[in-house]
Amino acid sequence: MKIAIIGAGISGLLTALELIEQDCSVDIFDQPYSGSASWAGGGILSPMYPWRYTPAVNQLAQFGKALYQEWNQKLQPVSGIDFQIHETGMLIFDQEDFRQGLSYSQQFQEPMQICELIQHEQLRQINPHIASGFKEALYFPQLANIRNPRLLQSIQNYLKTHPNVQFFENTAIQQLDIQHGQVMAVRDQNLCSFQADQFVLTTGAWSEQWSRQLNIQLPVKPVHGQMILFKTPENWLPTMCMNRVMYLIPRSDGHIVCGSSMAHQGFNTSINPQTSESILTASLEMVPELAQFPIVKQWAGLRPGSPEGIPYIGKIPDINNLWANFGHFRNGLCMGPASARLLRQLILKQPPLIEPQVYSPERLIPQSYDRVHSTAS
C-alpha cells in the first residue's frame, strides 16, 4: 500500500514511522512550514497540569515516554542521533493546583503523574536553585522531557535512508483531486501530480486551509508561542519547574528552555519584546540565579489550536481514503506517538490502541459531534 503524508512535523514523521514498520510505501511531503510547532516546543512528555485537560488528551499522552524510548532505541543506531529523553522530574509551584494534582495522581496512578507535596527543606534538596519565596511544591519525580529538535532530526535521518520512503523537500501540496468520494491525486505549487492509495493530512496549524476543498469547517487555528533559551553549566538545573503556566526545561548540556506564551495573531511568528520580558520575569521568579547566565536564543512557533485540544485522528468524513492527524494544540509531542499508532491501526484496519471514536473527524459534522461524545461517555 502506498500512502502520501502531507506535512513533515512530528505528527507526519511519526505516522510515517508507524506505516513503514507495517511494510507500507510512504511519500512524505515536507511543506515549507513543516515542523513549526514541533521544532519550537519545549518537549515536556506530559500535558502541563494534566488535570486541567479532558481525558481524551491524557489518554494519548500517557504512552508518549515509553513509545519514544522504543523509537530512540530503534532509530539511534541508524540516525546517529540520541533524542535525549531527560528524566528530570518536575516541580509545580501553583498552590491552587496542589489539591487537584494530588487527587489526579491518586485516582489514575499514571507513572508520569505520580506526585507528592514537598516542603521547604526537601524542596531545597531536590533543587537548590529555587527562589527562597517558594516554600512548597508538587514534585513529579518521573516526568521527563525530550529534546525535540534532535527527535525530528533523528526521524528525518532514518526515514530518508529507508527504502520504502520518498521524501519531497519543500513541496507545498495545495490541491486535493477528489472524485466520487476519493482522493485520486494531490498537486503541489508547480501543479505536479502525486498519486497514492491513501492520503494523510498532518498539516498542524495550517490544517484549516483544507476546509474549502473538503466542504467542512476544520476549526484549527494558529496559536503563537514564544521561548527563551539560556546556557548554563552541564546539568546545572536538576528539575523542570513550572509556575502560572510558565516553565523551565533543563537539557543535559546546560541549555534551559524557558516559556511559554500564548497569543492569537495569525501566522505571524515574530518575537514580541513584551512577551520576552514576561517569560524572563517568570523564569527569574522561579530561579533567580538564571540572571547570571547568557540568553543564547529566542524563537516562536505556531501551535495547531483546536477545541479542547483534542486532535482529529481518523478518516475525513465522506472521503474513503483521506485521513487526519492534526489539531494537537499544546501537546503534539507527548500525544504524537500514540496518535500516529492509532492512525496506523485505523488505516490498516488493525485493533486500535485505544477507543478511537472521541478523536474521529466525524465530529466535524455537527450532527456527528453529539453522537461521538455520547458514545465516548
Side-chain angles (χ1 to χ4, degrees), residues 161-232:
T161 62
H162 198 283
N164 286 0
V165 175
Q166 274 195 289
F167 209 99
F168 295 86
E169 305 268 9
N170 292 311
T171 303
I173 298 299
Q174 297 179 342
Q175 183 68 38
L176 308 174
D177 181 3
I178 301 171
Q179 299 178 28
H180 309 296
Q182 184 132 330
V183 178
M184 308 305 294
V186 294
R187 301 179 192 278
D188 69 6
Q189 70 272 29
N190 300 315
L191 300 182
C192 294
S193 180
F194 303 91
Q195 295 180 325
D197 301 306
Q198 306 286 336
F199 297 83
V200 180
L201 300 177
T202 55
T203 40
W206 284 260
S207 296
E208 191 181 32
Q209 69 178 302
W210 308 113
S211 294
R212 182 184 57 80
Q213 294 185 53
L214 298 176
N215 200 30
I216 52 175
Q217 184 57 44
L218 302 177
V220 180
K221 303 289 186 183
V223 182
H224 184 277
Q226 198 163 306
M227 311 285 267
I228 292 175
L229 185 68
F230 282 90
K231 180 63 174 74
T232 71

Side-chain angles (χ1 to χ4, degrees), residues 8-15 35 38 68 148 151-152 155 325 332-333 336-337 340:
I10 192 61
S11 294
L13 296 176
L14 286 169
T15 300
S38 308
Y68 278 131
N148 40 304
L151 165 66
L152 270 72
I155 301 176
N325 188 8
L333 281 162

